[in-house]
Amino acid sequence: MATHGLPDWPWTGTPTDDLPPAERLLLDTMRAWHVAARARQTPLSAMAMILATEDAAVAAPPLDSLLRAAPIEAGCLLCPKVTPQEAALLLACALAQRGARSEALAALLRLLPLRSAYAAMPPAIHLGCALRRSGLLLRHPIREALRPRPLARG
């Protein structure tokens, strides 16, 4: 099986400081949710504070539902790079927001069994709508990964 020409999975291993603003906000919020959940605190309030910085607190309930439906291993608050599971969830959220539901489901299937992935789709769609209403548009990283790269000169 040939694997040349396949794009790298978007955002995996990307330094968190290099993420676009909407993705960085979502990543920081996911990580805060996990920190609060591990400490047996209320994760929804930890998320709402971060989302409020961009007037996107309306996205807290659907994100909470998504993170409960799609349990992932998130990095720590200060981890310098995006983990593979975080990247897959960011990709699924971006695709769901863009209306690419079958592709979003495929991204969720990298993390979850079929039934759980189907259960995670409604919160992902609602999250995308809430973020869009707040003026936050996630990038379509697959489209960007498929663009031809400039040839190296030299």
Side-chain angles (χ1 to χ4, degrees), residues 102-126:
S102 59
E103 290 88 351
L105 180 62
L108 287 171
L109 285 170
R110 291 183 57 218
L111 301 170
L112 306 166
L114 182 62
R115 189 174 300 232
S116 299
Y118 270 114
M121 280 299 296
I125 293 167
H126 290 292

Side-chain angles (χ1 to χ4, degrees), residues 43-133:
L44 196 58
S45 62
M47 287 190 326
M49 290 176 52
I50 295 172
L51 290 169
T53 63
E54 294 292 329
D55 293 327
V58 68
L63 182 55
D64 180 59
S65 296
L66 176 62
L67 293 173
R68 290 179 192 281
I72 63 166
E73 289 294 323
C76 66
L77 285 174
L78 301 176
C79 286
K81 294 189 177 192
V82 180
T83 68
Q85 289 192 350
E86 291 170 335
L89 196 55
L90 285 173
L91 174 63
C93 291
L95 293 169
Q97 185 184 46
R98 300 278 179 161
R101 293 181 180 183
S102 59
E103 290 88 351
L105 180 62
L108 287 171
L109 285 170
R110 291 183 57 218
L111 301 170
L112 306 166
L114 182 62
R115 189 174 300 232
S116 299
Y118 270 114
M121 280 299 296
I125 293 167
H126 290 292
L127 172 63
C129 293
L131 290 174
R132 184 180 294 265
R133 281 192 306 268

